[in-house]
Amino acid sequence: MASIPDLLFKALADPTRRALFERLCLDGEATVGALTAGAGISQPAVSKHLGILKQAGLVRDRHEGRQTHYSAQQRALAPLVDWTGRMNRFWEARFDDLEDLLKRMDQ
Amino acid sequence: MASIPDLLFKALADPTRRALFERLCLDGEATVGALTAGAGISQPAVSKHLGILKQAGLVRDRHEGRQTHYSAQQRALAPLVDWTGRMNRFWEARFDDLEDLLKRMDQ
DNA sequence: ATTTCTCATAACCACCGAGTTATGAATGTG
DNA sequence: CACATTCATAACTCGGTGGTTATGAGAAAT
């Protein structure tokens, strides 16, 4: 019973995988061959990484002829953003209070 | 040469470690003993996890007598927020454009 | 039909990492 | 001083994971 944030964090914990995702985010769609050329590892390794990214929902694949095009699904990052938000809320609130205090002291 | 995002993602990839960090974020400071009572693992395991969180900057320790108090350093999440922001910028921009369009259509 | 190209899967290996128990260091308590 | 408590470190085990090579499946080209 792996939670969604768990899948996301685990998928993005590997630097090679993060690099693949970053490239797809910034440069858009790419084939496995193109991605393999960029990464410094073998094609099967890249395919496995893409499989893990796909399982985490971070990536979509589209088959066209004999090649597979992968693209980033940035929306999948939403739970990550939510999580960091929840972890930050409290000290942010405290920080806001401090700001308010300083603002009031300024008057 | 592990980058900062790498340290953060790796530190938060483990569910036990994330649970420890979450508890420290929500409930504030706690001793190793208290954290060990909550987690379902041995005290040395908890200490090791806290060490990794500390190395990632996510946690601070304060020695008081013979016990060590740990507290969350939520600011350390900043690089994570930045990273997700960079990965999101493009489709967010597109989303903003869409919002603008809808807003203009509404008038 | 045969060959070539692109990708995915299988099988295997080496290492890392999360857990354990044992022990030591430091601080409080009798 | 002797003992107990709290935490960190050491040494070890074991499963998961990232890499490899080998191979197969499917689509295009000749």
Side-chain angles (χ1 to χ4, degrees), chain B residues 14 17 42 44 48-49 65-66:
Chain B
D14 183 79
R17 225 141 46 207
S42 67
K48 215 196 293 187
H49 281 307
R66 58 184 165 187

Side-chain angles (χ1 to χ4, degrees), chain A residues 14 16-17 41-42 44-45 48-49 52 65-66:
Chain A
D14 183 79
T16 301
R17 227 141 45 209
I41 54 178
S42 66
K48 215 196 290 187
H49 281 306
I52 294 174
R66 58 185 165 185

Side-chain angles (χ1 to χ4, degrees), chain A residues 30-34 43 47 61-70:
Chain A
T31 69
V32 175
Q43 171 266 314
S47 280
D61 59 345
R62 177 176 67 82
H63 297 278
E64 181 182 331
R66 58 185 165 185
Q67 46 196 6
T68 311
H69 298 257
Y70 281 87

Side-chain angles (χ1 to χ4, degrees), chain B residues 18-66:
Chain B
R18 222 166 40 245
L20 286 171
F21 180 68
E22 289 180 11
R23 166 159 179 192
L24 290 176
C25 278
L26 304 181
D27 301 355
E29 197 177 62
T31 68
V32 175
L35 293 171
T36 300
I41 54 180
S42 67
Q43 172 265 314
V46 171
S47 279
K48 215 196 293 187
H49 281 307
L50 290 171
I52 293 174
L53 287 172
K54 180 181 171 186
Q55 197 175 353
L58 288 164
V59 137
R60 261 179 53 81
D61 59 345
R62 177 175 67 83
H63 298 276
E64 181 181 329
R66 58 184 165 187

Side-chain angles (χ1 to χ4, degrees), chain A residues 2-107:
Chain A
S3 70
I4 292 174
D6 196 44
L7 274 177
L8 289 176
F9 275 114
K10 280 215 168 69
L12 296 172
D14 183 79
T16 301
R17 227 141 45 209
R18 220 166 42 246
L20 286 172
F21 180 69
E22 289 179 11
R23 166 159 179 190
L24 290 175
C25 277
L26 304 181
D27 301 356
E29 196 178 61
T31 69
V32 175
L35 293 171
T36 301
I41 54 178
S42 66
Q43 171 266 314
V46 171
S47 280
K48 215 196 290 187
H49 281 306
L50 290 171
I52 294 174
L53 288 171
K54 180 181 172 188
Q55 196 174 353
L58 288 163
V59 137
R60 261 178 53 81
D61 59 345
R62 177 176 67 82
H63 297 278
E64 181 182 331
R66 58 185 165 185
Q67 46 196 6
T68 311
H69 298 257
Y70 281 87
S71 56
Q73 287 281 100
Q74 286 99 330
R75 303 176 256 168
L77 292 175
L80 243 173
V81 177
D82 291 349
W83 185 85
T84 54
R86 285 203 309 278
M87 293 308 113
N88 266 322
R89 184 153 325 157
F90 295 89
W91 76 272
E92 270 182 1
R94 257 178 272 145
F95 188 71
D96 289 347
D97 288 350
L98 181 61
E99 269 191 335
D100 288 350
L101 178 64
L102 292 176
K103 223 173 276 176
R104 269 177 277 131
M105 284 175 61
D106 214 29
Q107 293 171 353

